[in-house]
Amino acid sequence: MNIYLHELRAYRKSTITWTCSLIAVIVLFLSLFPSVSKDFAEFSKVLEGYPEGVRKALGIQIETFGTLLGFYVYIFMYITLCGAIQAMVLGTSILSKEMREKTADFLLTKPVTRTKIVTSKLLAAVTSLVITCVIYIAAAYLMALQVKTVDFDVSTFLLISFTLLFIQLMFLAIGFITSVVFSKMKAVLSVSLGTVFAFFVIGMIVAVDGEGAKRYFSPFKYFNGTYMLEHASYEASYIIAAIAIIVASIAASYFIYTKKDVHAV
């Protein structure tokens, strides 16, 4: 029984749905850029009327908003929100679905170790996210070429876009450890949405209240768009923190799952 391929097929519809949704969102938002760029003088006056705290919470930088990359940084916040939900749902359902569908005892009686089960399921989830991310980036880049008013730095565009995968992997890991600790979880979607939106709101509060160390409390703030525009790179400390979250969550998940009792259903 090839668990990896079985799980990949199980995630197929979800992967297609989320990929198409992300493409639809980026196409919709980027289609607005030519109008924003053309009338930016008037548009900037409207933005200046917003309180500074609101602009920070929404990730609006007036200085760069009229450029393609600056506009992309703003709308990318909502792309990462959608991507995080996809990853969190995948993570929380990786193992908990066996309990919900009453197949846990059946799976564990097969001649396969728990480590292999977890690894196969995790790889299938990661593969789904990578497929979504690669197709999204390709679609976003093609759309950016269509709406650009002047040439833009492709490397910076890709740098910003690839943060989607980093954020998704973090939420996948968080969902993964959640599915192990609360294996009998039934409200997967509710837990996933609640967790993602909680971190998103925390990120908005952090943006208003000031950044620095507070950014570590929200994965959405690990990759600062303004910093990437200015330096064309990631912030090393936050990359290390992201990797630490992913590795620690997955390692803890393996340890707990291989030791815990799985009751027959």
Side-chain angles (χ1 to χ4, degrees):
M1 178 174 60
N2 194 317
I3 300 175
Y4 171 75
L5 293 178
H6 173 77
E7 293 296 316
L8 206 56
R9 286 193 294 269
Y11 299 145
R12 180 175 53 194
K13 290 184 180 180
S14 173
T15 303
I16 293 173
T17 299
W18 278 107
T19 303
C20 292
S21 298
L22 289 178
I23 291 174
V25 171
I26 194 61
V27 168
L28 174 63
F29 274 115
L30 282 181
S31 66
L32 301 175
F33 175 71
S35 299
V36 172
S37 178
K38 181 180 179 181
D39 302 318
F40 183 67
E42 296 296 325
F43 201 76
S44 61
K45 294 179 181 179
V46 176
L47 295 178
E48 289 172 356
Y50 289 10
E52 184 179 0
V54 174
R55 294 201 304 269
K56 287 183 177 180
L58 296 177
I60 297 175
Q61 294 289 333
I62 298 179
E63 298 80 6
T64 60
F65 199 79
T67 66
L68 178 62
L69 290 179
F71 186 74
Y72 184 59
V73 165
Y74 163 66
I75 62 178
F76 193 70
M77 178 172 67
Y78 302 100
I79 295 296
T80 56
L81 175 61
C82 295
I85 295 173
Q86 177 194 11
M88 188 70 189
V89 170
L90 272 178
T92 51
S93 63
I94 282 178
L95 296 173
S96 62
K97 73 175 183 178
E98 302 298 341
M99 297 300 295
R100 293 195 312 274
E101 298 173 4
K102 300 181 179 181
T103 57
D105 54 335
F106 169 78
L107 182 61
L108 293 176
T109 57
K110 298 298 179 182
V112 59
T113 64
R114 291 192 183 193
T115 299
K116 185 176 181 180
I117 292 173
V118 175
T119 301
S120 298
K121 286 175 170 288
L122 184 60
L123 286 177
V126 171
T127 301
S128 295
L129 295 181
V130 170
I131 291 172
T132 296
C133 188
V134 169
I135 296 177
Y136 160 78
I137 292 175
Y141 176 65
L142 292 176
M143 187 63 187
L145 292 178
Q146 298 300 314
V147 302
K148 68 175 183 178
T149 52
V150 295
D151 291 335
F152 60 92
D153 189 338
V154 176
S155 61
T156 302
F157 181 88
L158 295 177
L159 190 74
I160 296 169
S161 299
F162 271 112
T163 62
L164 172 63
L165 183 59
F166 281 109
I167 292 174
Q168 284 186 312
L169 291 177
M170 277 192 285
F171 278 99
L172 176 68
I174 294 171
F176 193 39
I177 185 65
T178 302
S179 71
V180 173
V181 175
F182 305 102
S183 56
K184 293 186 178 181
M185 184 194 328
K186 294 182 179 179
V188 169
L189 185 59
S190 299
V191 172
S192 299
L193 290 176
T195 303
V196 171
F197 279 112
F199 279 119
F200 189 75
V201 171
I202 291 172
M204 296 179 74
I205 294 173
V206 168
V208 174
D209 193 39
E211 299 193 352
K214 295 179 181 179
R215 285 172 55 192
Y216 288 105
F217 291 103
S218 176
F220 288 105
K221 292 302 176 182
Y222 282 24
F223 302 93
N224 187 292
T226 303
Y227 183 91
M228 286 185 278
L229 289 179
E230 294 177 354
H231 301 88
S233 65
Y234 299 134
E235 295 171 88
S237 60
Y238 291 98
I239 283 288
I240 294 172
I243 294 174
I245 289 174
I246 295 170
V247 173
S249 297
I250 292 177
S253 299
Y254 271 92
F255 179 79
I256 296 172
Y257 189 74
T258 55
K259 300 296 183 181
K260 74 183 299 184
D261 293 330
V262 178
H263 301 287
V265 292

